[in-house]
């Protein structure tokens, strides 16, 4: 007589496997949701920083034009101020370029990775489903024809192949 543990093992394995699959799917969905939002917000931040840089460049240009119309002392002070403001904007340009290259691009690549992982999970779930259906078929075959070893071995070998 089979033990109770062996009778309920496929059911327990199936429940554990379903719980694990659900946890994995939830984790992938969570990453997908939050990384997408992070990418959007970071891209918006980079665009606004670039616009701020562009506005400051316009300001530098206007200060230089105004300085040309003023007295020598004021002109020298305004030109110096424009040069320093332009230097700050050079740092802002570097900031934008680094954010795009070192932060945004790697975050974007996670989108592809998440899609591939989601496909992997679907494939694994289909395989698990197929396997549990074949296990159920094997069990039914064993219950219907317990003495027909040939049919049971055929169903068992098809299960092992898949």
């Amino acid at each position: 007589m089979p033990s109770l543990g062996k009778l309920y093992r496929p059911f327990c394995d199936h429940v554990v496997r379903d719980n694990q699959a659900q946890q994995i799917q939830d984790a992938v969905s969570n990453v997908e949701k939050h990384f997408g939002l992070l990418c959007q917000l970071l891209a918006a931040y980079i665009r606004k920083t670039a616009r701020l840089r562009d506005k400051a460049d316009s300001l530098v240009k206007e200060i230089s034009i105004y300085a040309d119309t003023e007295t020598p002392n004021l002109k020298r002070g305004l030109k110096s101020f424009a040069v320093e403001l332009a230097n700050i904007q050079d740092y802002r340009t570097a900031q934008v370029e680094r954010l795009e290259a070192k932060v945004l691009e790697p975050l974007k690549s996670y989108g592809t990775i998440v899609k591939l992982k989601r496909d992997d999970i679907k494939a694994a779930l289909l395989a698990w489903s197929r396997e549990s259906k074949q296990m159920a078929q094997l069990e039914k075959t064993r219950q219907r024809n317990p003495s027909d070893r040939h049919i049971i071995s055929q169903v068992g070998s098809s299960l092992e192949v898949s």
Side-chain angles (χ1 to χ4, degrees):
M1 180 169 198
S3 71
L4 267 145
K6 286 191 175 188
L7 280 175
Y8 293 108
R9 173 169 253 137
F11 176 74
C12 292
D13 288 346
H14 180 67
V15 170
V16 169
R17 190 169 40 202
D18 285 348
N19 286 339
Q20 286 176 341
Q22 186 60 46
Q23 287 175 343
I24 292 169
Q25 284 178 327
D26 291 345
V28 169
S29 295
N30 191 36
V31 167
E32 196 172 38
K33 173 186 169 189
H34 290 287
F35 269 75
L37 185 59
L38 282 173
C39 282
Q40 287 176 356
L41 292 173
L42 185 61
Y45 173 77
I46 292 171
R47 282 191 305 273
K48 287 189 183 227
T49 303
R51 272 190 240 124
L52 179 62
R53 176 203 57 210
D54 294 343
K55 292 291 182 183
D57 287 343
S58 298
L59 179 61
V60 166
K61 184 178 177 183
E62 189 59 38
I63 290 170
S64 292
I65 291 170
Y66 172 59
D68 290 337
T69 64
E70 284 296 327
T71 62
N73 284 339
L74 186 54
K75 179 179 182 174
R76 189 173 39 251
L78 287 172
K79 289 282 187 180
S80 175
F81 175 66
V83 166
E84 294 304 322
L85 191 56
N87 289 339
I88 292 170
Q89 298 324 302
D90 291 342
Y91 284 109
R92 198 173 312 271
T93 299
Q95 177 189 17
V96 167
E97 290 170 357
R98 285 187 185 128
L99 282 171
E100 286 175 339
K102 304 272 185 186
V103 180
L104 188 60
E105 288 305 317
L107 277 179
K108 281 185 190 177
S109 70
Y110 277 107
T112 305
I113 293 169
V114 168
K115 287 177 185 173
L116 291 174
K117 292 303 174 190
R118 186 170 295 285
D119 292 344
D120 290 347
I121 291 169
K122 284 181 185 177
L125 288 175
L126 284 173
W128 286 345
S129 174
R130 214 175 303 120
E131 180 185 345
S132 64
K133 285 178 185 176
Q134 288 176 343
M135 288 288 283
Q137 181 183 5
L138 177 62
E139 247 347 276
K140 283 182 185 178
T141 304
R142 281 185 183 157
Q143 288 174 359
R144 277 192 230 138
N145 304 322
S147 60
D148 194 353
R149 295 280 177 208
H150 179 68
I151 294 174
I152 292 172
S153 68
Q154 279 182 334
V155 173
S157 64
S158 71
L159 177 64
E160 288 175 9
V161 168
S162 63

